Structures are given as C-alpha cells and as structure tokens.
Amino acid sequence: MDDNSAQAKVVLLGEAGVGKSSIVLRFVADTYHSDIEPTIGASFLSKIVNLSEGTIKFGIWDTAGQERYHSLARMYYAEAVAAILVYDITNRKSYEAMKNWHKELVEQGPKNLIVAIAGNKEDLVEKEQVEMEEAKSFAESIGAIYKKTSAKTRYGIEQLFKEIAIKIKDNRSIVTREKRGSIRVTSAVSQQPGVAKEKKCCS
Amino acid sequence: METPLFLRKKKLFFVFTSAAKPVWTRYGSETDLSTFIGSLAAILYKFQNYYTGIQDSLRYLRTADMYVVFLCTEALFYVCISKGKDSLESLYNQLRMLHTKVISTLTDNITTMLISRPSYDARNLMGGTHSALDYLIRTTAVSPSMLDAFMPVPMLAQHRSQIQLSFKSHLDDDLLYGFIMTSTSIIYRYCRKGENIHHIDTSLLFNMLASHSSLRSTMSWTPICLPNFSDKGFVYAYITFLQDSQVGLALLSDNSAAFKNLKACGDAIETEIRGLLPIIEESVKSIPYSVSICGIKEFKHFIYMTKAVDQYTMSGFTPSTRDFLPEMPIDIYKRTLRRYFAAYKLSNIPEFFKGNYTKIDTYKNEQIVALRTNEYVLFASLSSMLPAAAVVQLTTQLLRWLKSQEQDFFIMR
C-alpha cells in the first residue's frame, strides 16, 4: 500500500439515542436531522480525510444502540482499528453504558484498538448530567481520545475524526517501521527485533 | 371513570408476557397500560382455570360492536381489540403476523427466556420497532392473507429474466437469498439452489425494508431472523440502494462474516442492473393496475394466485401501500375482501372440499366468485345483474387470460 494513503475501519458504539448516526452523518455528509429513525443492525459509510501526512479512507460502521443488537456488536468491532464510544452528556445512564462498552472492548476487542470517547449533544450543555472533567479523566485513565461533540452544531466532529486519523497514522508508521524491521530480521540482521520492540513500547 | 384516550382508537393491539408484563402496544405507553393489560391477562387465566385439563385457551370475546381476540403462544400473549368490521380470520392472521415479527426481531430464544423468567421486562428488546409493527398491522389489515402468498410487481418476463441472469452470473457461496425491491414493491427474488424461501419470510424482509427509512440512506449489514428458515438464529442482510433511486438490493447470508463477499456480489449485480433501472421504476409505478386490462368489462376486481409460485396479483388496489384506483376505493376494497374471506371460509374444511372448490355469493350490488383448484385460487367481483351461466363463462374467460399472463405477473423460477 502507498505510504501516504491508508484505509481504516472505525466502529461507533453506545446506547440507543445518544447520536451515533447523527455524528456519522454530520461527518460524512454534513447533514443533520433532529428526528432520524433508529439504526437497525449496522450501516456502513465511508469518507476520505486529507491530512498533511497523507490521506486516510475511513470505513465507518455505525451500529444500532438497541439492547437486542448488543451481542452482535462484536462482529463489527472485531476488525476495527478504532472505536468511538458515544454517550449523551444529558444522560448519565448512557455514560455508564459507554464505560461498559469500554470494558467489553478491553476483554474481547482487537488488540491495539484506538479508543475515542465522544460526549455528544454539547448543544444541550445546560442539561448536562455528566461533567466534562469526569469524562475527561476517565478517558485519560484508559488512554483514549476525548471530545465533546454536537452533531447538531458540528461542534467537535471534524476534530474527533482528525485526531483519530492522526493516531491511526502514528500507529501505522510504527507498524510499517516494524515490518521493515522484520524484513531485516529475516535477512538475518541481528539486533533488529529489539529495535522493533522498543518502538512498540512508545506507541 | 374517564376513558383513557387510547381506548377510543378503532383497533388496539397488545403484547404481554405470561406474568402480564407489557411488551408492546400500538397506542399509549406500555407503562400507563399495565393495569389494563393486567386485567386482560386475568380474564385469560380465569377462563383457563374454569377449563383446566382442556388443551385450549380463550380465543375471542364478542360484543355488539367489538371483537377481543386472543392469541396465546408459549410465552407471549397477543390481544387485538377491534371495533372495525374485520373478520375473525383476518384479525387472527394479524396477531399471528405480529408474533412472527416479534420472533423475527428477537429469534425464538425470547420464548425460552420468558418461560424461565416470565417477569423479564422485554419492552427494551423491542426498542425501535414501533414503526415496523405499526406498518405490519396496516398492511396485513388489507392483505388477502388466506392465500399464503405475496404480491410482486408485474414486469415483462424478458426483463425479469435479465435481472435473474445478473444474479446467476454473480453467485457467491455465501448468498442464501437475494431481492430487488423498493419500499413499496417486490421486483425479484432469488433463492439458493436446494433451499426454499417462504412467503412469510419474504414479507418479513419486505416489512423491514419498507418500514425503516434509515436503511435507505446508506448500506447496511443487519441481522434478521426468518422463522421459516430457522427461528433459532439470525441470517444477515446486506442492504443497499442503487444510487439516486428508490430501488434496493438485499442479499442475505447465513454466514455472519459474509459482508465483504456479499458487498462484492452486490456491486457486480448493481452494475449490471443499472441499465434496467427505468424499466424497474416503470413497473413499480404500474400498480395498482386497472381491472380493465383483462378486457372483460363485467369484472370489478380480481385476485389471482398460482400455486406453482407462492404469489398473487390483484387489480385496483395495492396492499403494501394502500394505494387504490377510483374503481376500487379503499372502503369498497375492504368490503370486497371481507366477502372473499367469507366465500373462501368453507374451503378449509378438508372433509368436504378435497379437490376443487367453487362458490358464488350474490349480494345486492355484486357477485363474488371464489375458486380453488390444485393449480390456482381466484377471487373476483362481478356485477350482480348477471345470470349464473354468464358468471361461469366469464370466469373461465378471465382464468384463461390470467393464465396467459402468469409469466409477467409473477417471479417465475
């Protein structure tokens, strides 16, 4: 693959009604409808993002939040490189649900998964039930990106995906370097595995 | 006592568990209805207590202007309260379809779960399905459910076989069923060799596509349980709409990891049928079609089903959209449908009607013909002024015409 362009699968997880589809639609098509229907199963959308380091093609799985689809979510996150955990800042229950999603990802998700937390519905900040500081410190504790977003006003949406893209690029370059390293290993250059290992630690 | 608003509606539906926990209701909120549902459940149990030892349960209650119909499954109970003129058979059919839809959403595991935990609150599990259930009720109310069939749109056989060809040349091992449909019509259906597809499973998939507009905006990979394929688990549907059109492609697999394969398969089919888009859109617009296309002016309406395929066609009205032509206003259609039901009722008594069945009912303003043979079922409405011999002769003429049009009316194998 060309070093400057990459493909990345991203999955959105979170309780029903927190705004997962709205975030995706805002990001992909820059539209917003206050009254969209619940997603069923999962829908797939893609969008290309240009960064100074190159382009990245997002393949986004927007999953349904209803309880009955929960056990099926694995199918969608199993191959993902990044997960966006969405909660509604005006609904504490959805925040707790978001934490449970994280727990599940740690236990069953793919290794090296990039996690981002989106506190959505920033436009309703006066009804906030989960304070930003709390969510932020949780995000820090698990090494996740944290963004407050509003699909309605566009607030934070671009930045959310941009930060994910940058992190994906960073990880990729480490992976690529590792790969190069391993080629040298097979051509019997000593010491190289150590170098690769070291780099992994920095990630 | 003040009557709650929801009780003023013409047709009510309730779903609850054996512990009288509400699962779904058409109007009002499940929470407000808990007392009412509790009473319904109590009535059911009272009757069961009276007749212990008899393997039966309460089927319906009748008042001057109202039916209360009960459908008891292993773990879920369905009740319809109807103040309309619907026949008992049609109400039962609606309740059965409602149950099928619940299983299609949750699989039959819900039964096992509710048997062990009857007080489990299953309301959340049905979240986001309200519009689909409501749509199901609206369409089944006007469907000829006694036919065990679905209605595809008419299309020239040569065009339909072009679609078939594009499916056959891009088959994937993971492909179980395939559909070309819009939110109002079924255009083509594919089924893997050696498998069957049931008309109810077809209707369930159609119901999902028709009632969830969210499917129309993107491509989806969605679980659906098709109870006649297996009620124990899900199959997966890849659903996408052809660019800038209302025409959808649904490819189903029993392999949950088949998204990539089916998407590739779908992309190939899409490219091939793109050229047929104007023809498909034209055929979708062709229903409802006028009864006059049969060329026999005495007929007011007909429904024809052939048993070679599980499909029917009808003039003047489209059950999936409730669209109708001026020749068949919805109220007249509903009355005609009730009369078809009535004329067909006796055909289900096997001791009397093993072979062919013919019934002609005369009403003040029309005559109803119901015919059943091993090959087809026909319902038709004619003018009431005709003598019996003429009715027989015209019906034979109509049948001959319908037979000659089968290739275009139906999706043939």
Side-chain angles (χ1 to χ4, degrees), chain A residues 10 58 82 84 114 116 145 160-168:
Chain A
V10 178
F58 278 118
I84 303 176
I114 295 164
I145 297 167
L160 172 69
F161 283 89
K162 211 144 220 178
E163 283 194 25
I164 293 170
I166 291 167
K167 212 158 175 185
I168 289 171

Side-chain angles (χ1 to χ4, degrees), chain B residues 95-168:
Chain B
L95 292 179
R96 272 193 297 269
M97 276 308 286
L98 212 52
H99 177 59
T100 315
K101 178 72 193 177
V102 170
I103 298 299
S104 170
T105 312
L106 304 175
T107 77
D108 199 38
N109 296 334
I110 187 71
T111 305
T112 330
M113 205 223 333
L114 285 176
I115 287 174
S116 60
R117 292 170 63 195
S119 59
Y120 180 83
D121 192 349
R123 269 177 306 172
N124 289 337
L125 292 180
M126 293 301 290
T129 59
H130 191 88
S131 61
L133 291 168
D134 197 61
Y135 180 86
L136 186 85
I137 287 169
R138 282 167 50 77
T139 51
T140 50
V142 289
S143 299
S145 51
M146 64 292 209
L147 287 178
D148 295 329
F150 71 95
M151 177 166 162
V153 287
M155 181 187 250
L156 283 181
Q158 65 192 76
H159 292 144
R160 200 127 43 194
S161 33
Q162 270 177 275
I163 298 178
Q164 182 176 34
L165 202 67
S166 65
F167 268 79
K168 296 239 157 115

